[in-house]
Amino acid sequence: MSRYVIKRILMMIVILWCAGFVVFTLTYLTPGDPAMLQLGQEATAEVIAQRRAYLGIDQPYLVQLGRFMVNTFLRFDFGKSWVTNTNTMAELLLRLPRTLIIGLGSMIINVFIGTILGIIAGTHEGKWQDSLVMIIAMVFVSAPDFFVALLLILLFALKLGWLPPYGIETMAGYVLPIISASLGGVAINARQARSAMLEVIRADFVTTARAKGQNEKIVVRKHMLPNAMMPIITGVGGGLSMVVAGTPIIESVFSIPGVGNYLLSGVNQHDYPVIWACVIFFALFSSIAILLTDLCYAFLDPRIKAQYSAGKRKKVK
Amino acid sequence: MKNALVKRVIALASASIMAFSMIGCSATTGSSSSAPAAEAAPAAEAAAPAGEAAPAAEAAAPAAEGLLENGRWNKIIMAANQDPQDLDPDSVNAPVRYNMIYAIYETLFDMADDSSGELKPCIASGYEVVDGATWKVTLRDNVYDWEGNNITANDVAFCFDYIVSTGNAVRFDWYDSIEVVDDYTFLFHWKGEPPAIHDLEFPLSRTIIFSEKAWKDHGESFAKDAVGTGSYKVAEFTPGSKLILEANDDYWGKDILDELEPRHRQNVQTIEFDVVTEASTAVVGLETGKLDICDYVPLAMQEEFATGQYSDKFNVEITVAGDYFYLAPNCLKLDENLRKAIMYAIDNAAVAKAMGGSYVPLKTFGTSYYNDYDASLELDGTYLSDYDLDKAKEFLAASDYDGRELSILIGADEASKAAATMVQTMLLQIGVKSKIDAKTQDGVRTASTSKDGFDIYMNTVGGPNMVGSWHLLFDNEVNSGFTTSWVQDDQLQSLYKAASADATHDAAHMRECLDYVTDHAYFYVVAGTSSALVYPKTITSIGRREGYVTPNCSVYQGQ
């Protein structure tokens, strides 16, 4: 198992190098001149040339790429924003906790409520509970984030006065963004959990358990749920890697200075160091999240654990 | 009114279904009900029917309350629709930050707050023209930043070198160098004799002056932890969220505030700028009492503040901005008859309407916002006021138009797209085919500076005054000898120079220039922008700098 983890960590380094190369090349190939964009339409060609030289984007591709790879992966220097002149990684880490609160908060809601709704729907297939859950899921998945966010602001901030309409001065400011960001995920998780439950509900081992006279609740909890968890965990793993990317629309509506907003402003203003830092950070976080997901598989599924053990035994032989 | 009520009830019903079905099972229910704001909301109000629910603003305490003993208003919270991002003094061309950054930093001179284009002393006490291309500038000897650093001529030279070395010296066309004479005197060497003061606007009144020592002491944290000479200090800055400024009690100019421009006043103790990018969220912020001032309330939503349920708390002013949308036909590709056909075929009132509720049609190249605007500059009897399809068809018949598809180059924003779609439809009425070429800002720049980059080009323009906004339109220096519409016309240049030179800058010369432009169909004006400024009734006079609301020089009840 430990060899597997070490192997995956080594692979992660290669993935990060590849991500760095790809994101740098893509931004290099993107049409448009960052200097021109930053200085506005009143800047002369001479001033634009000066700015390009200052940013170092007047040099050949290989020189720029080499400098970027060395600075990023050998010196761990992600550079300064071309617009704000601040350290990109420091700024990203400053914003990360706000994004994590929203991301993890909405993920917890997604997983718990989505899974519970999915189980209810799956175990009541064709009944009114199933229809109700699917209707709710349909509404949640169809409603755009920003629309839901505005409705929630109208209700909870304006009409009821319970929560602030924007800002993060207190933790109360996070409630509406978390709810707004989680509705789509609840729907997706509910549908996924329902499908997974329906797959195992007719499995032989479930029929056997029922034939033995097991209580239905025990059948669901001990036999169906652990087997239905695999696709749910896959979804959670994927979702976890998205958590740090933030939700730019939600952050924008609620004026939350998070990572999503930071990346969005970097893209809009061709502030490439911001894009590079964000993408490499996302790649690192995603790699770790996927590794953890795989380890969870091994923990939950004895067959996968056996594969690791078998590999180890084979090696020992 | 009834429709609005129905809409709101439907909106609330939808929100209730979604929110309560969620919250019914949610683990976060507790946290929402235990929020501090919840305590202020009476249960009866929560239970009241949606349409009759009392506004939360009544329950919430006002953000700013009364005068302090020092005569300043306690606190004012203003919405900012864009993130200032940083407080770095290197960017001289970022209008979004004007009312924030120029409260903490200062410049050598101020362009008069009344948009007259007059130069007023600030850090510099005055200047003397040694010869046309050399100015001798004298600094005040008592200017200190809030860390106690005295500003000297060496600091000024450092700031100019910094701006130039970072490639941010926008509109420094006339600037050549600075020569320090002594601690408080230096020489500006221009590249020639500047024709008008507004040609020196950026070096003189946009370039921020700060202490070299403070800059070196703070390093890169200066962008967030700024040190300026202004009448306000930074108390808290969270990029993307808020900027809180506190009146600087040690302000160097506090005893001569009457001599300085109004923008330096300290009428408020604390100014908070909250970044709220969504106008609808800002409107709720005003309604709930979380915000005091918002200058980008959509016109469609201003009624409830002007005459509706919040009219007892707020004043509303409809403001016209200086910037306006223009059309530039490519004069190298379109002959004069075709240009006139196109312009007579466009109804700018309809285009402005299509662009949304914040746009108004214009009849001249500028708006009433500018100090040098004059009613005599309204171009009645031209294609800007007369939408005439018959005339358009006549000009088209006389033109060399061969049925080709014309490209309309625009930015990728929604207003431009809506305007271009309407123009495209109108051109089709006279049989001119066109396609819309929407690009990002830098893509537009690249295409617009290429002779083959467009047939018709739409963009916005603005300036320190009306004639200043013409620089990007009529001045052939912007495009290597051509105007933005690819015109090379000596007569136009001579008329533009006469209108913009300080000595002959008057309505008669401006009108002469505009008549020439419309006679040759060199440009077209589409629309200007207007929005609603909503501010509390406790402000008796709203302060502005170059159109941007400045809470520190607004006058409050009791002052």
Side-chain angles (χ1 to χ4, degrees):
Chain A
M1 191 72 173
S2 56
R3 282 179 62 82
Y4 174 75
V5 173
I6 291 166
K7 193 174 148 193
R8 289 291 298 268
I9 289 171
L10 289 175
M11 273 175 64
M12 255 164 58
I13 295 170
V14 178
I15 288 168
L16 291 179
W17 270 78
C18 293
F21 170 75
V22 169
V23 71
F24 180 87
T25 306
L26 285 178
T27 49
Y28 181 84
L29 295 175
T30 305
D33 182 350
M36 204 183 265
L37 189 70
Q38 286 164 26
L39 295 173
Q41 56 178 339
E42 290 172 295
T44 60
E46 188 191 354
V47 175
I48 291 169
Q50 276 176 347
R51 184 72 183 159
R52 286 175 58 79
Y54 178 76
L55 299 176
I57 52 175
D58 57 341
Q59 291 170 338
Y61 166 72
L62 286 177
V63 175
Q64 292 186 48
L65 176 66
R67 190 179 55 212
F68 164 72
M69 296 300 264
V70 167
N71 286 342
T72 305
F73 296 108
L74 298 181
R75 298 181 185 148
F76 303 108
D77 174 9
F78 290 83
K80 284 185 187 177
S81 156
W82 290 347
V83 175
T84 65
N85 208 25
T86 50
N87 185 292
T88 50
M89 191 48 75
E91 185 67 35
L92 195 150
L93 293 175
L94 189 74
R95 290 165 178 256
L96 188 62
R98 301 164 195 147
T99 297
L100 281 180
I101 291 174
I102 297 173
L104 292 175
S106 63
M107 182 163 225
I108 290 167
I109 293 177
N110 290 347
V111 173
F112 277 90
I113 298 178
T115 308
I116 290 167
L117 289 177
I119 292 168
I120 292 170
T123 52
H124 296 82
E125 191 192 2
K127 296 180 185 166
W128 67 268
Q129 293 95 328
D130 185 21
S131 305
L132 181 65
V133 168
M134 286 304 100
I135 288 169
I136 291 172
M138 184 65 79
V139 171
F140 282 4
V141 85
S142 312
D145 285 1
F146 72 92
F147 179 68
V148 173
L150 291 174
L151 289 182
L152 292 179
I153 289 173
L154 266 181
L155 178 64
F156 290 104
L158 182 62
K159 289 294 164 191
L160 301 176
W162 290 354
L163 296 165
Y166 67 87
I168 46 165
E169 288 89 356
T170 62
M171 287 306 283
Y174 285 103
V175 175
L176 291 183
I178 287 174
I179 294 173
S180 309
S182 64
L183 296 190
V186 166
I188 291 166
N189 272 322
R191 293 175 74 91
Q192 209 161 31
R194 178 181 180 271
S195 301
M197 288 298 284
L198 289 177
E199 266 181 39
V200 296
I201 209 162
R202 293 180 195 92
D204 290 346
F205 59 88
V206 173
T207 310
T208 308
R210 281 182 178 141
K212 280 178 168 177
Q214 285 271 31
N215 180 304
E216 187 60 21
K217 282 182 183 167
I218 294 174
V219 172
V220 171
R221 203 173 63 234
K222 290 204 167 172
H223 298 282
M224 290 166 63
L225 203 52
N227 287 287
M229 283 304 283
M230 297 304 284
I232 296 170
I233 287 174
T234 309
V236 171
L240 199 61
S241 59
M242 295 296 291
V243 160
V244 290
T247 45
I249 293 172
I250 295 295
E251 287 178 6
S252 175
V253 172
F254 291 101
S255 295
I256 294 168
V259 175
N261 257 341
Y262 190 48
L263 177 60
L264 199 63
S265 71
V267 171
N268 286 338
Q269 297 176 90
H270 287 218
D271 193 353
Y272 294 158
V274 170
I275 300 173
W276 299 333
C278 287
V279 169
I280 290 168
F281 186 80
F282 296 163
L284 174 68
F285 194 90
S286 299
S287 303
I288 294 171
I290 291 166
L291 175 63
L292 291 176
T293 311
D294 288 353
L295 294 177
C296 281
Y297 281 158
F299 178 74
L300 283 171
D301 192 337
R303 289 168 298 182
I304 295 172
K305 197 171 186 178
Q307 277 178 7
Y308 293 134
S309 307
K312 196 177 173 184
R313 277 200 302 273
K314 212 173 181 179
K315 201 84 183 170
V316 170
K317 253 182 192 176
Chain B
M1 193 68 190
K2 198 178 171 186
N3 279 347
L5 185 66
V6 171
K7 276 182 196 168
R8 195 150 263 205
V9 170
I10 291 169
L12 285 172
S14 312
S16 304
I17 291 165
M18 281 187 271
F20 284 114
S21 59
M22 181 71 219
I23 284 165
C25 324
S26 170
T28 58
T29 312
S31 63
S32 67
S33 61
S34 65
E39 291 163 17
E45 185 186 316
E52 296 167 18
E58 287 173 15
E65 205 165 346
L67 282 177
L68 299 175
E69 281 180 8
N70 58 13
R72 292 178 191 142
W73 194 256
N74 182 21
K75 186 177 182 180
I76 204 85
I77 306 175
M78 183 170 172
N81 63 345
Q82 287 189 58
D83 180 7
Q85 294 194 318
D86 68 290
L87 304 176
D88 203 315
D90 70 352
S91 179
V92 294
N93 193 20
V96 59
R97 312 186 303 167
Y98 279 178
N99 55 1
M100 305 179 197
I101 209 144
Y102 288 117
I104 56 176
Y105 291 119
E106 291 175 318
T107 54
L108 291 171
F109 296 90
D110 293 329
M111 282 286 178
D113 285 347
D114 59 7
S115 296
S116 63
E118 207 181 324
L119 211 55
K120 301 285 180 120
C122 182
I123 287 178
S125 56
Y127 68 91
E128 177 192 328
V129 180
V130 178
D131 60 57
T134 307
W135 285 20
K136 183 178 175 186
V137 179
T138 311
L139 300 179
R140 296 179 199 271
D141 61 5
N142 63 334
V143 179
Y144 291 87
D145 65 23
W146 58 70
E147 287 192 343
N149 301 303
N150 184 214
I151 301 297
T152 65
N154 283 317
D155 292 316
V156 175
F158 174 79
C159 294
F160 274 77
D161 287 348
Y162 175 70
I163 285 284
V164 172
S165 68
T166 55
N168 278 303
V170 179
R171 289 192 63 182
F172 268 46
D173 311 17
W174 292 95
Y175 173 77
D176 183 54
S177 61
I178 276 186
E179 181 187 337
V180 175
V181 176
D182 61 39
D183 275 358
Y184 301 108
T185 314
F186 67 89
L187 298 175
F188 261 131
H189 295 295
W190 308 117
K191 286 177 181 164
E193 187 172 350
I197 289 291
H198 69 76
D199 288 314
L200 304 174
E201 181 196 357
F202 278 57
L204 296 181
S205 71
R206 287 264 187 266
T207 301
I208 289 164
I209 306 300
F210 51 93
S211 154
E212 181 181 358
K213 181 177 178 298
W215 176 261
K216 288 179 175 164
D217 287 350
H218 286 254
E220 72 176 44
S221 68
F222 209 85
K224 282 187 179 172
D225 190 14
V227 181
T229 60
S231 53
Y232 281 81
K233 295 184 193 184
V234 178
E236 185 188 325
F237 177 45
T238 311
S241 180
K242 66 175 59 186
L243 170 66
I244 301 177
L245 305 177
E246 285 286 338
N248 177 5
D249 290 329
D250 301 320
Y251 179 49
W252 64 270
K254 65 181 175 187
D255 298 327
I256 54 163
L257 281 172
D258 290 341
E259 292 174 28
L260 298 171
E261 281 297 275
R263 72 186 70 168
H264 301 281
R265 288 180 193 157
Q266 299 176 302
N267 291 352
V268 188
Q269 182 64 33
T270 307
I271 303 171
E272 181 175 319
F273 292 99
D274 283 6
V275 179
V276 188
T277 48
E278 285 296 321
S280 46
T281 310
V283 168
V284 176
L286 288 167
E287 291 168 344
T288 55
K290 197 167 158 60
L291 286 172
D292 297 315
I293 307 176
C294 179
D295 61 355
Y296 51 92
V297 172
L299 293 181
M301 299 172 94
Q302 55 86 24
E303 245 180 60
E304 56 184 307
F305 299 101
T307 55
Q309 59 176 324
Y310 300 102
S311 58
D312 59 330
K313 291 187 174 66
F314 292 100
N315 286 321
V316 177
E317 274 182 29
I318 306 299
T319 57
V320 180
D323 291 7
Y324 52 92
F325 276 82
Y326 66 91
L327 275 184
N330 187 333
C331 297
L332 296 175
K333 296 169 82 179
L334 312 180
D335 72 84
E336 188 171 322
N337 283 321
L338 179 52
R339 299 198 302 264
K340 284 183 176 165
I342 289 169
M343 291 175 185
Y344 274 108
I346 298 173
D347 176 5
N348 61 4
V351 176
K353 202 171 177 185
M355 291 167 79
S358 298
Y359 294 89
V360 286
L362 298 177
K363 285 188 191 173
T364 188
F365 291 81
T367 71
S368 56
Y369 159 81
Y370 291 121
N371 182 270
D372 53 350
Y373 167 86
D374 189 284
S376 68
L377 299 172
E378 296 275 323
L379 297 163
D380 290 316
T382 68
Y383 50 72
L384 288 180
S385 57
D386 299 344
Y387 161 60
D388 191 334
L389 281 181
D390 293 334
K391 233 177 193 172
K393 284 174 185 166
E394 278 173 33
F395 280 117
L396 186 68
S399 76
D400 63 359
Y401 181 62
D402 55 3
R404 69 184 188 276
E405 199 175 53
L406 305 183
S407 66
I408 305 175
L409 174 66
I410 57 166
D413 59 287
E414 291 308 313
S416 297
K417 284 180 191 166
T421 306
M422 187 54 94
V423 167
Q424 189 181 32
T425 310
M426 287 169 171
L427 294 185
L428 212 51
Q429 289 185 110
I430 57 165
V432 173
K433 289 180 279 184
S434 60
K435 62 174 180 187
I436 296 170
D437 185 12
K439 292 184 186 297
T440 56
Q441 196 185 330
D442 50 334
V444 165
R445 162 120 193 176
T446 307
S448 66
T449 49
S450 155
K451 287 179 182 173
D452 293 323
F454 66 91
D455 289 304
I456 301 168
Y457 168 43
M458 189 192 303
N459 207 336
T460 55
V461 72
N465 52 16
M466 191 163 158
V467 80
S469 72
W470 298 354
H471 167 70
L472 275 177
L473 304 181
F474 310 153
D475 195 339
N476 67 8
E477 283 166 13
V478 297
N479 228 0
S480 311
F482 290 89
T483 67
T484 306
S485 58
W486 293 103
V487 172
Q488 207 166 31
D489 184 332
D490 293 340
Q491 177 68 6
L492 173 64
Q493 290 314 302
S494 117
L495 290 169
Y496 163 67
K497 297 288 179 200
S500 60
D502 286 345
T504 48
H505 178 195
D506 54 39
H509 283 93
M510 289 168 73
R511 177 71 201 217
E512 208 179 337
C513 181
L514 291 178
D515 284 340
Y516 190 80
V517 167
T518 48
D519 282 350
H520 294 81
Y522 285 150
F523 286 94
Y524 185 89
V525 177
V526 182
T529 56
S530 65
S531 60
L533 162 66
V534 177
Y535 59 94
K537 287 199 182 290
T538 48
I539 296 180
T540 53
S541 168
I542 196 87
R544 283 193 179 84
R545 180 208 160 138
E546 297 170 57
Y548 293 89
V549 173
T550 42
N552 59 305
C553 61
S554 295
V555 181
Y556 298 79
Q557 264 174 12
Q559 288 181 330

